[in-house]
Amino acid sequence: MRSEKDQMTVGKEKNVVEIQFRDIPREQENTPCNPKQKEEKKEVFTKVVIRRLPPNLSKDQLEEQLSPLPSYDYFEFFPADQSLYPHLFSRAYINFKNPEDILLFRDRFDGYVFIDNKGQEYPAVVEFAPFQKISKKKLKKKDAKAGSKMGLNVNILYVLMLW
């Protein structure tokens, strides 16, 4: 026995659809259509991070040990976070102006052993920073309402709400 569907298709002709694919050379496949995409791929990494620095190292001490440094436009030091014990390490980020200086810096300081005031050794690791953008220093704006009657009224209302 045939189902109703089968009986309907017996009387009809089946249409054949042909699909043709174009052959695209491999060179053209990978080229981006947008010139901006092409520029992004050529981005040069210039920011490095120095990890595993001694936890009690200060920024001044680090700059003294790293001197003479090639020209740079960004230097940020982060002291060790005491809540991460026993993994206490400081780190520093440097953005070099000349990308060729990175290789010289890495050869000199990757594996360089920093010694803290207790005599413990800390071999540093130099690598490209995962986030290559440079953070902008935010200017702290002075509160325009501070010291005015409006600012005083807002503060009083806030204290009353908390009470």
Side-chain angles (χ1 to χ4, degrees):
M1 293 187 115
R2 293 185 178 175
S3 66
E4 291 177 18
K5 210 178 208 183
D6 291 337
Q7 290 175 359
M8 289 176 68
T9 57
V10 170
K12 293 183 179 179
E13 293 179 18
K14 293 185 179 179
N15 293 335
V16 178
V17 178
E18 287 186 31
I19 300 175
Q20 295 179 354
F21 294 100
R22 289 188 307 159
D23 288 334
I24 300 173
R26 294 260 184 217
E27 296 168 357
Q28 292 177 357
E29 264 181 22
N30 296 331
T31 56
C33 298
N34 192 351
K36 289 184 179 179
Q37 291 176 348
K38 199 173 195 179
E39 291 174 10
E40 289 176 12
K41 289 185 179 180
K42 291 184 179 180
E43 183 179 332
V44 179
F45 293 150
T46 57
K47 186 175 169 186
V48 296
V49 59
I50 309 167
R51 299 185 191 277
R52 300 186 147 269
L53 296 172
N56 55 3
L57 187 71
S58 69
K59 182 177 181 178
D60 296 332
Q61 291 171 335
L62 178 63
E63 286 178 341
E64 182 181 317
Q65 290 190 11
L66 295 178
S67 66
L69 267 177
S71 61
Y72 62 90
D73 56 1
Y74 177 78
F75 184 92
E76 188 76 28
F77 177 77
F78 293 94
D81 184 2
Q82 299 297 324
S83 67
L84 297 176
Y85 182 82
H87 307 288
L88 297 176
F89 298 108
S90 299
R91 68 187 185 281
Y93 295 90
I94 304 172
N95 188 46
F96 292 102
K97 291 182 179 179
N98 187 359
E100 287 122 20
D101 292 336
I102 296 171
L103 295 174
L104 298 171
F105 182 80
R106 185 206 57 199
D107 292 342
R108 183 174 168 202
F109 289 106
D110 190 29
Y112 182 86
V113 178
F114 289 88
I115 300 174
D116 68 353
N117 55 5
K118 296 178 184 175
Q120 291 181 328
E121 297 180 351
Y122 294 87
V125 176
V126 177
E127 57 191 13
F128 286 114
F131 187 72
Q132 285 291 311
K133 292 184 180 178
I134 298 172
S135 64
K136 296 178 181 176
K137 298 278 185 183
K138 293 182 180 178
L139 298 174
K140 294 183 180 179
K141 292 183 180 179
K142 187 176 179 182
D143 187 7
K145 294 179 183 177
S148 67
K149 288 184 179 181
M150 183 63 178
L152 185 61
N153 290 341
V154 170
N155 289 338
I156 291 171
L157 287 174
Y158 181 71
V159 170
L160 291 174
M161 288 173 55
L162 292 176
W163 189 46

